[in-house]
Amino acid sequence: MKIKRIVAILLVLAFSLFMVGCENRITTDEAKEQVNALISAVSSGDFDEAEKLLHPSRKTDLEAYFNRAEAVEGVDFQAGIEITKYTGFSSALHETEVDGAEYELEMNVLVSGKALELTVEIVRNDQGFGIYEIDIDD
């Protein structure tokens, strides 16, 4: 009888730890919502709104970032950004580099008729939730 009680207690403890860990994870839907909100804000030229989507520890001037990317890639992001295909994702419940949950989405996008690769990393940790890194490649 003692063994059953110990096993039951261990199962409850393991389930509790699992549930606490799930609270901090980032779902695919949350990640896609963040990416879609970013694309919408950048496409409309609302960089103030786009910057609200950034993780609190990674504030940056997104207008300057996208202006540099436009010059390098020869595109106009305000002409629209279309996700043509999600090409990859990775998720970590606890990434030591950011001290929290991390979700990375990779996708092919079309901007001004040019195919680009967009990678967006999203983080949830004690400092908050938001886009941590954006990478644009051709």
Side-chain angles (χ1 to χ4, degrees):
M1 190 65 158
K2 269 188 169 182
I3 291 177
K4 286 183 181 180
R5 188 175 303 167
I6 291 171
V7 169
I9 291 170
L10 288 175
L11 286 174
V12 167
L13 181 60
F15 180 73
S16 298
L17 289 173
F18 173 75
M19 292 307 290
V20 167
C22 287
E23 280 181 27
N24 293 325
R25 76 182 179 96
I26 301 168
T27 67
T28 300
D29 289 341
E30 285 177 310
K32 286 183 177 181
E33 283 175 23
Q34 284 291 102
V35 168
N36 288 331
L38 175 71
I39 286 173
S40 177
V42 170
S43 294
S44 67
D46 190 351
F47 292 99
D48 289 334
E49 189 62 33
E51 288 177 5
K52 291 177 186 176
L53 299 167
L54 295 176
H55 189 274
S57 69
R58 293 295 282 214
K59 293 298 181 189
T60 191
D61 183 349
L62 283 182
E63 186 170 12
Y65 175 82
F66 279 96
N67 284 340
R68 281 190 305 275
E70 284 180 341
V72 169
E73 300 298 342
V75 298
D76 178 9
F77 288 102
Q78 291 182 27
I81 304 167
E82 176 189 349
I83 298 172
T84 56
K85 181 180 180 181
Y86 288 99
T87 58
F89 73 94
S90 65
S91 177
L93 184 56
H94 186 80
E95 174 64 43
T96 56
E97 186 176 314
V98 297
D99 197 26
E102 176 183 77
Y103 199 105
E104 185 176 278
L105 270 174
E106 298 171 359
M107 64 213 80
N108 294 336
V109 296
L110 195 58
V111 181
S112 300
K114 184 173 182 179
L116 299 173
E117 294 176 6
L118 178 64
T119 303
V120 179
E121 181 182 329
I122 301 160
V123 168
R124 175 178 283 132
N125 60 18
D126 290 342
Q127 289 80 41
F129 172 76
I131 295 171
Y132 195 76
E133 191 170 320
I134 303 166
D135 186 39
I136 302 166
D137 292 315
D138 55 1

